[in-house]
Amino acid sequence: MFESLLPKSSVFIFWSLVSSCIAYNYTQYHPIPDGNVGSFPKDKYVTQPLNISRFLKKWTNGYYSHKEMFLYIFKYAKPGMLIDKDLEKEIDFYNYLIDSSLYQMKIFEDLRLMGQNEVARESLTNNVQEAIHRNQNPKNCTDNEVLGYEPKESCGIGCQVNQLAYGLAIALMEGKPLVVTGSQWHNFNTIFDIIMPLSQTCHYHKKKYNKLKMKLIEFADDYKVKEFLTPAFPANIKEKIEEFHTDPYLWWMGQLIKYILRLKPIIWNKLKPIHFASPIVGIHVRRTEEIMDGAKSYPVGEYMKYVELYFRKIELTQRISQKTVYLASNDWKVIEKFRSR
């Protein structure tokens, strides 16, 4: 039986999940009739405002607990393992559990969208971007100390953006502008051939003329103020972020990268929009240096299992006319294998 695959502490939870699926399907909603309810006049009722931050914390616990249990079932159970021979009609309990769990996850995700405070998100996004701009563009750059960063080696765009985000986070914590020298990237002199400079008023080359009071920073091992290192972010905006996001640090890093990846107008003008069909699944398969460093290489089929699960979840509530996968990889062989699926 399937119980043998589960830890004893999980058996009760597992069958509780099964019973909750069944109970959910048979639960009926009973509306309260119009007029007074008992001795309470209808016009005396008040609505308590929803605490979005508290809601998102509860939502996160519920969603990821359910998702973890679902993935455990999906990984270790097999079709045919949950068949009850005493039933007159053979029922595929395995696929029933998968579909029921996917449907409940879809309900969770729809509920999450209802709990987003879009006004708070947009307002805080604008405020943070303005704060970064002010910090990076003082009126007179020679009056105060700036932070300088010199890349030690050439690396790809993802690597360079990671370094810039690290430096920008520290600069904001210290309240000082960040100036950098760009390292070579493919056929460009620096990454700043395609993105806007981090500052319009502070420039690294002024260091040569002793017009900048500069303190060079290094990566985490050498930087002294450990409180400013990732995953640190401003404490005074934590509660505001939690009104619309379940991971404040992730949102904060997204804001830094958003500022960094402001493309130059000449690059924008050369970009051609690609119109994707919805729904679409994005996959990143990274090979080369990670594999050489000993990381495990997963076959294409392992990725596609979860792609198919995603589309299966969507198809429970809507029809999909075209399934689209966006693949990013640095290995052409991987791309060919995905095309053959």
Side-chain angles (χ1 to χ4, degrees), residues 17-57:
L17 175 62
V18 177
S19 61
S20 67
C21 295
I22 299 172
Y24 175 82
N25 292 328
Y26 288 96
T27 300
Q28 299 294 323
Y29 170 67
H30 300 286
I32 298 175
D34 291 336
N36 295 345
V37 181
S39 58
F40 297 96
K42 183 180 179 182
D43 59 354
K44 297 299 182 183
Y45 282 85
V46 294
T47 302
Q48 183 176 358
L50 175 64
N51 186 318
I52 299 295
S53 176
R54 186 177 180 185
F55 163 77
L56 289 181
K57 289 179 181 178

Side-chain angles (χ1 to χ4, degrees), residues 271-307:
L271 292 178
K272 296 180 180 179
I274 301 175
H275 301 287
F276 294 108
S278 181
I280 182 171
V281 176
I283 302 175
H284 181 202
V285 182
R286 187 174 179 181
R287 294 287 166 86
T288 60
E289 73 272 18
E290 282 206 344
I291 302 303
M292 289 187 288
D293 291 339
K296 184 177 179 180
S297 175
Y298 291 93
V300 169
E302 188 68 18
Y303 292 90
M304 291 306 297
K305 280 197 310 184
Y306 296 96
V307 171

Side-chain angles (χ1 to χ4, degrees), residues 176-280:
K176 300 172 183 177
L178 174 70
V179 294
V180 301
T181 58
S183 61
Q184 188 175 5
W185 175 60
H186 292 289
N187 295 325
F188 297 93
N189 291 324
T190 77
I191 192 176
F192 294 105
D193 287 347
I194 63 171
I195 64 174
M196 298 290 289
L198 297 182
S199 176
Q200 300 290 343
T201 61
C202 299
H203 304 285
Y204 197 93
H205 65 80
K206 290 183 178 180
K207 177 188 176 185
K208 297 180 181 179
Y209 309 104
N210 296 320
K211 292 184 177 181
L212 280 182
K213 303 173 187 176
M214 183 183 296
K215 180 179 75 172
L216 291 175
I217 60 172
E218 300 291 342
F219 271 117
D221 292 339
D222 298 314
Y223 185 70
K224 296 180 180 179
V225 187
K226 302 303 180 184
E227 292 81 3
F228 291 169
L229 296 177
T230 56
F233 65 94
N236 61 335
I237 61 173
K238 180 177 182 291
E239 292 185 0
K240 293 181 180 180
I241 300 174
E242 288 176 341
E243 290 186 13
F244 56 85
H245 204 286
T246 57
D247 191 331
Y249 169 69
L250 184 63
W251 182 87
W252 169 249
M253 290 305 297
Q255 294 305 305
L256 301 183
I257 293 173
K258 178 180 180 179
Y259 182 84
I260 292 168
L261 291 180
R262 295 166 298 131
L263 298 180
K264 286 187 171 181
I266 189 173
I267 302 299
W268 270 118
N269 294 335
K270 291 183 178 181
L271 292 178
K272 296 180 180 179
I274 301 175
H275 301 287
F276 294 108
S278 181
I280 182 171

